[in-house]
């Protein structure tokens, strides 16, 4: 009897030992996996590093590329497009002006009543119109006739107090957010369509000419006074409100910058120098590239799989279109190599661009003690549930690394522009104020990104120079900005001047 009892005890002890060994092995295995996840995070953080010294190199490289792009066409990754805008709004503009903002599947028509220095923008009205899918792939005449007919309907809603002066044409600012080769303030040929448009017979044509013919067919007496890019419009809107505005930056789904250059500092400009002595340059800075940019394996993979490999590298590191996707790629690697979401990689996590920047922003801003927002986003978007607090904290860290790098690089780009203008340092007690107008959803809604970008700007400029630099939010450059440029380039300005 005793032998049986001893045997049973031995078997029981062996089973307990085996179970304990399994637990230990599981713990060792899971702690090994967690260590792998942390090592992926640490390596990513190091590769994304943006110490001041590196950012100063990025700013210097931006300045060098700006010089090269101004010297000759194709001389730099930065196109440095001459916008032909040389009269920015001053605040003195008066009258009724229109704007048309065509940048995607919807377009807007706006009416702005300007009252000069005292009244500024007296009234503004707008209407948004969606473009039927068949017109996005139809003929040029069909598309522009549809737009002109909506414009005519909108003009017909002018109130009695809102007509243009007798004997004058209505004037319009046209924001056209597609690649255009600008040939004057009010003409430019379409290089190619993007964003799902494929109206072949418009390519190579002057888009202002196409719109003007459609306006005439609609029986409307209206002149397109300015063809503008939304970033140039943001600069105009900023300058209208503050005469110290020297540059504008858009940080949204995409990113771009424009600034006011001395006309004599543009070697590739062969025309007469404008009376103002200034010229607005549309940098197309999303295409900036430098060996100093902290690129990672995730950026390289994102770029290789994109529709435009090797292009828009700066944009792919800092803009709203891509920040969420970089986070997804890092989490995917952690899921594959460190099994952070269990033994299989969640299928939804493998879908490119499923995690958008508004999602990662919401997770990054989660202040709840148990990171409830992070848990909800993971469940709703990626169908991942039962995550530990430790894992949710890790995900927030990934969001922080991606946003911080983007924000700090944006600041370095702005310093590059200020450097080109000689506004990055204080010269002999000079107190010239320089304001940068900013717009875009990323800047407006991603608070941690905005705060980090502004703090980095002051860090790079130093205390003394920072006192002369300010950042202001300039809203709706593609709308009001375009109407203001129609006003500042009106054919009737000369008539009004004494």
């Amino acid at each position: 009897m005793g032998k049986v009892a001893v045997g049973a005890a031995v078997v029981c002890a062996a089973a307990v030992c085996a179970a304990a060994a399994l637990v230990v092995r599981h713990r060792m295995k899971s702690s090994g996996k967690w260590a792998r996840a942390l090592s992926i995070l640490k390596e990513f953080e190091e590769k994304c590093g943006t110490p001041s010294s590196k950012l100063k190199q990025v700013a210097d490289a931006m300045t060098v590329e700006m010089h090269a792009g101004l010297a000759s066409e194709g001389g730099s990754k930065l196109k440095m497009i001459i916008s032909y805008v040389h009269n920015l709004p001053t605040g003195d503009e008066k009258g009724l002006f229109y704007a048309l903002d065509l940048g995607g599947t919807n377009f807007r028509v706006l009416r702005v009543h300007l009252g000069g220095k005292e009244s500024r923008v007296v009234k503004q009205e707008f209407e948004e119109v969606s473009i039927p899918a068949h017109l996005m792939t139809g003929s040029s005449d069909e598309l522009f006739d549809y737009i002109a007919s909506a414009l005519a309907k909108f003009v017909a809603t002018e109130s009695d107090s809102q007509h243009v002066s007798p004997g004058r044409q209505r004037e319009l600012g046209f924001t056209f957010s597609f690649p255009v080769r600008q040939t004057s303030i009010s003409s430019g040929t379409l290089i190619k369509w993007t964003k799902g448009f494929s109206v072949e017979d418009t390519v190579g044509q002057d888009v202002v000419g196409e719109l003007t013919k459609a306006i005439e067919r609609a029986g409307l007496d209206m002149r397109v006074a300015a063809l503008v890019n939304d970033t140039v419009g943001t600069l105009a809107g900023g300058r209208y409100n503050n005469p110290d505005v020297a540059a504008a930056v858009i940080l949204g789904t995409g990113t771009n910058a424009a600034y006011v250059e001395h006309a004599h500092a543009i070697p590739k400009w062969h025309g007469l120098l404008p009376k103002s002595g200034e010229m607005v340059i549309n940098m197309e800075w999303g295409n900036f590239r430098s060996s100093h940019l902290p690129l990672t394996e995730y950026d390289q993979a994102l770029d290789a799989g994109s529709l435009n490999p090797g292009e828009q590298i700066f944009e792919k590191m800092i803009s709203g279109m891509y920040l969420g996707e970089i986070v997804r790629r890092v989490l995917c690697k952690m899921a594959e190599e460190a099994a952070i979401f269990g033994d299989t990689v969640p299928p939804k996590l493998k879908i490119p661009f499923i995690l958008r920047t508004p999602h990662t922003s919401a997770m990054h801003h989660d202040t709840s003690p148990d990171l409830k927002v992070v848990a909800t986003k993971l469940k709703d978007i990626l169908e991942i549930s039962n995550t530990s607090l430790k894992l949710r904290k890790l995900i927030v860290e990934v969001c922080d690394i991606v946003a911080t790098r983007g924000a700090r690089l944006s600041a370095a780009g702005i310093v590059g522009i200020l450097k080109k203008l000689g506004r990055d340092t204080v010269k002999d007690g000079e107190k010239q104020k320089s304001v940068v107008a900013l717009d875009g959803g990323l800047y407006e809604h991603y608070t941690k990104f905005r705060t980090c970008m502004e703090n980095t700007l002051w860090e790079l400029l130093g205390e003394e120079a920072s006192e002369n630099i300010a950042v202001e939010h300039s809203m709706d450059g593609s709308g009001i900005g375009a109407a203001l440029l129609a006003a500042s380039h009106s054919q009737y300005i000369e008539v009004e001047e004494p």
Side-chain angles (χ1 to χ4, degrees), residues 124-137:
Q124 54 171 303
E125 301 160 278
F126 77 93
E127 202 170 285
E128 192 156 319
V129 185
S130 64
I131 299 174
H134 72 277
L135 291 180
M136 292 170 66
T137 54

Side-chain angles (χ1 to χ4, degrees), residues 408 450-460:
R408 286 176 69 79
R450 179 175 68 244
T451 307
C452 176
M453 189 210 79
E454 290 174 358
N455 290 340
T456 306
L457 201 51
W458 315 139
E459 172 194 325
L460 295 175

Side-chain angles (χ1 to χ4, degrees), residues 416-435:
I417 298 172
L418 293 169
K419 222 176 172 57
K420 170 72 181 72
L421 293 171
R423 310 268 187 105
D424 61 320
T425 53
V426 178
K427 294 177 184 69
D428 305 326
E430 204 181 273
K431 286 289 179 196
Q432 188 184 14
K433 198 104 176 109
S434 300
V435 177

Side-chain angles (χ1 to χ4, degrees), residues 73-219:
E73 291 299 343
S76 161
K77 276 279 187 188
L78 293 180
K79 289 196 177 74
M80 302 300 282
I81 297 165
I82 294 168
S83 71
Y84 294 87
V85 169
H86 49 82
N87 286 326
L88 281 164
T90 59
D92 292 323
E93 293 77 15
K94 287 183 179 179
L96 195 64
F97 295 92
Y98 281 82
L100 165 64
D101 177 14
L102 175 62
T105 50
N106 293 343
F107 65 89
R108 286 185 308 153
V109 284
L110 297 92
R111 178 166 45 237
V112 180
H113 184 194
L114 302 174
K117 273 274 191 283
E118 297 305 309
S119 318
R120 314 293 282 188
V121 177
V122 178
K123 190 177 184 188
Q124 54 171 303
E125 301 160 278
F126 77 93
E127 202 170 285
E128 192 156 319
V129 185
S130 64
I131 299 174
H134 72 277
L135 291 180
M136 292 170 66
T137 54
S139 76
S140 193
D141 283 357
E142 285 173 331
L143 174 64
F144 283 98
D145 281 344
Y146 181 79
I147 292 167
S149 126
L151 189 55
K153 281 182 194 149
F154 185 64
V155 168
T157 65
E158 279 181 0
S159 66
D160 291 339
S161 61
Q162 275 192 313
H163 289 299
V164 292
S165 306
R168 290 193 174 189
Q169 272 186 305
R170 291 179 182 86
E171 294 181 296
L172 170 106
F174 182 18
T175 303
F176 186 74
S177 301
F178 298 92
V180 159
R181 188 170 288 106
Q182 192 116 8
T183 46
S184 78
I185 182 64
S186 57
S187 62
T189 53
L190 176 65
I191 297 167
K192 62 172 181 179
W193 286 106
T194 54
K195 308 174 199 178
F197 281 80
S198 174
V199 182
E200 289 310 317
D201 57 341
T202 319
V203 177
Q205 298 299 314
D206 173 12
V207 290
V208 173
E210 295 296 291
L211 177 61
T212 301
K213 285 187 288 188
I215 284 172
E216 285 166 2
R217 287 194 293 268

Side-chain angles (χ1 to χ4, degrees), residues 5-22:
V6 169
V10 168
V11 168
C12 204
V16 168
C17 283
L22 268 173

